[in-house]
């Protein structure tokens, strides 16, 4: 199991300000609420087109979250690692972008 504050998959962490953390969590909470709303629509047999509109809104919200997090990652983690001579971060960034663009 990973230590508190580390990622279980890679062991890396990102230091975020309290404001950055709060903004990301706020976005995720809204997305979670939207998902619960869609689930309720399915459970109550809502009209398919109405559910699809809400699903598109969730996709847009997730994309906005990803854009914000990606920008922060590039400005912070990637820039820091390049300044420290850790050029492998470029390959990692390319791989991440390829996954996001699927």
């Amino acid at each position: 199991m990973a230590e508190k504050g580390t990622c279980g998959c890679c062991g890396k962490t990102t230091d975020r300000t309290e404001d950055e953390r709060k903004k990301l969590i706020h976005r995720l909470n809204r997305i979670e609420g939207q998902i619960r709303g869609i689930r309720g629509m399915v459970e109550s047999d809502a009209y398919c087109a109405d559910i699809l509109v809400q699903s598109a809104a969730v996709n847009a919200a997730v994309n906005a979250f990803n854009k914000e997090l990606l920008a922060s990652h590039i400005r912070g983690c990637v820039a820091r690692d390049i300044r420290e001579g850790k050029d492998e971060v470029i390959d990692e960034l390319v791989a991440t972008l390829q996954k996001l663009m699927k």
Side-chain angles (χ1 to χ4, degrees):
M1 179 173 232
E3 293 177 31
K4 184 178 184 233
T6 62
C7 174
C9 61
C10 64
K12 296 181 180 181
T13 62
T14 299
D15 290 326
R16 293 182 180 87
T17 67
E18 187 62 27
D19 187 51
E20 289 171 328
R21 188 177 301 108
K22 282 181 182 180
K23 285 180 182 178
L24 291 171
I25 294 298
H26 181 70
R27 281 184 181 268
L28 290 171
N29 286 339
R30 282 198 320 245
I31 292 166
E32 186 178 24
Q34 288 175 299
I35 294 290
R36 281 194 306 270
I38 292 171
R39 180 175 158 191
M41 292 175 78
V42 170
E43 290 171 345
S44 66
D45 294 326
Y47 187 55
C48 297
D50 294 338
I51 297 170
L52 288 167
V53 167
Q54 292 306 310
S55 178
V58 168
N59 283 332
V62 169
N63 285 337
F65 174 85
N66 286 342
K67 287 177 191 176
E68 186 174 324
L69 189 58
L70 180 61
S72 174
H73 178 58
I74 291 169
R75 287 187 194 106
C77 305
V78 174
R80 179 200 62 226
D81 285 354
I82 289 171
R83 283 191 293 271
E84 292 176 359
K86 299 176 185 174
D87 290 339
E88 64 273 10
V89 73
I90 296 168
D91 292 332
E92 179 186 80
L93 176 60
V94 169
T96 299
L97 290 171
Q98 288 171 339
K99 289 175 186 175
L100 288 172
M101 293 179 169
K102 283 187 177 182

